[in-house]
Amino acid sequence: TQLLEQSPQFLSIQEGENLTVYCNSSSVFSSLQWYRQEPGEGPVLLVTVVTGGEVKKLKRLTFQFGDARKDSSLHITAAQPGDTGLYLCAGPRAGNQFYFGTGTSLTVIP
Amino acid sequence: ETGVTQTPRHLVMGMTNKKSLKCEQHLGHNAMYWYKQSAKKPLELMFVYNFKEQTENNSVPSRFSPECPNSSHLFLHLHTLQPEDSALYLCASSQDILSNEQFFGPGTRLTVL
């Protein structure tokens, strides 16, 4: 059983389409982070959400933290090939370490 | 370029070999981490070092041996590995272990034959 479940596991869309990926847990987190990992690279932090219901925007990416702080979503508007990568969510655990989800692998086809 | 470099980027080794992975950070951070990333599994934290002292060992088999000679360098010594140890090994650093932001290196893709 994974503490952080991400869905879908794989997503392949055409350039210009919109998409939403999800990160869900049965546990409450004080914050959640989203990372993007491009092929051949390590994960890069995109955003940290800390308040229940919080919405953060990063250009075409919109991140939302659930009211109960158990889930988060990432919405991408007008996806571009450069958005291709593995999107990971992560939440803190004891000792300032992080649980990571299994990720959503996104492919944007030109 | 995140300021964290890892060498080698790819490594193939036999089960009886001894090899080492190297990580170097140029960010002035004080905490460094080793993670294992396997297909279809979440990132697994292996070791944590804070100011050169190991603060976490997440039940990692002794065939993996970390070394942190200073705050900028981290090694992972490998000996008598198993094929299931094949994975992407990621190094990360942060200002300290209380920091929420970790910077990852590109990883070493390890294949154990």
Side-chain angles (χ1 to χ4, degrees):
Chain A
T1 302
Q2 304 297 340
L3 192 64
L4 286 169
E5 297 277 355
Q6 290 191 243
S7 61
Q9 188 175 355
F10 298 97
L11 187 57
S12 181
I13 62 170
Q14 294 290 330
E15 181 176 0
E17 292 183 350
N18 301 333
L19 66 115
T20 302
V21 298
Y22 301 92
C23 174
N24 295 297
S25 178
S26 57
S27 301
V28 175
F29 284 92
S30 58
S31 64
L32 281 178
Q33 297 184 325
W34 284 94
Y35 291 79
R36 178 170 63 216
Q37 183 176 15
E38 298 182 13
E41 300 296 330
V44 176
L45 180 64
L46 297 174
V47 77
T48 301
V49 286
V50 297
T51 306
E54 179 178 8
V55 176
K56 281 191 173 179
K57 292 193 175 185
L58 188 66
K59 296 184 181 178
R60 293 176 293 100
L61 277 60
T62 302
F63 304 85
Q64 185 161 9
F65 200 11
D67 291 340
R69 304 206 314 274
K70 293 183 177 181
D71 55 85
S72 182
S73 63
L74 160 59
H75 182 79
I76 301 179
T77 303
Q80 299 178 1
D83 296 326
T84 292
L86 179 67
Y87 288 82
L88 297 164
C89 66
R93 65 179 193 181
N96 276 85
Q97 299 170 29
F98 289 87
Y99 289 110
F100 282 82
T102 50
T104 292
S105 180
L106 171 66
T107 302
V108 181
I109 303 166
Chain B
E1 182 62 46
T2 63
V4 181
T5 58
Q6 290 187 243
T7 55
R9 294 293 305 273
H10 300 271
L11 178 62
V12 179
M13 59 187 289
M15 288 191 286
T16 59
N17 292 158
K18 287 184 180 180
K19 296 288 184 183
S20 296
L21 310 185
K22 179 182 176 182
C23 175
E24 183 174 1
Q25 56 96 0
H26 311 276
L27 302 168
H29 288 167
N30 296 304
M32 296 188 77
Y33 311 79
W34 279 117
Y35 286 87
K36 176 183 179 182
Q37 188 175 33
S38 305
K40 300 182 180 180
K41 294 176 68 175
L43 258 69
E44 301 171 57
L45 179 66
M46 300 174 71
F47 301 104
V48 180
Y49 277 83
N50 193 41
F51 292 93
K52 302 188 299 178
E53 297 296 322
Q54 186 178 132
T55 61
E56 191 79 25
N57 175 342
N58 280 337
S59 303
V60 180
S62 59
R63 57 186 184 270
F64 295 91
S65 174
E67 178 190 1
C68 189
N70 54 62
S71 293
S72 299
H73 294 85
L74 185 64
F75 295 89
L76 188 62
H77 303 299
L78 315 172
H79 175 52
T80 321
L81 295 192
Q82 304 298 312
E84 59 265 29
D85 295 323
S86 299
L88 182 68
Y89 288 85
L90 291 162
C91 172
S93 72
S94 63
Q95 186 60 51
D96 52 50
I97 60 171
L98 298 179
S99 172
N100 280 334
E101 185 168 10
Q102 295 184 10
F103 294 79
F104 285 84
T108 295
R109 173 67 63 186
L110 174 66
T111 302
V112 182
L113 301 176

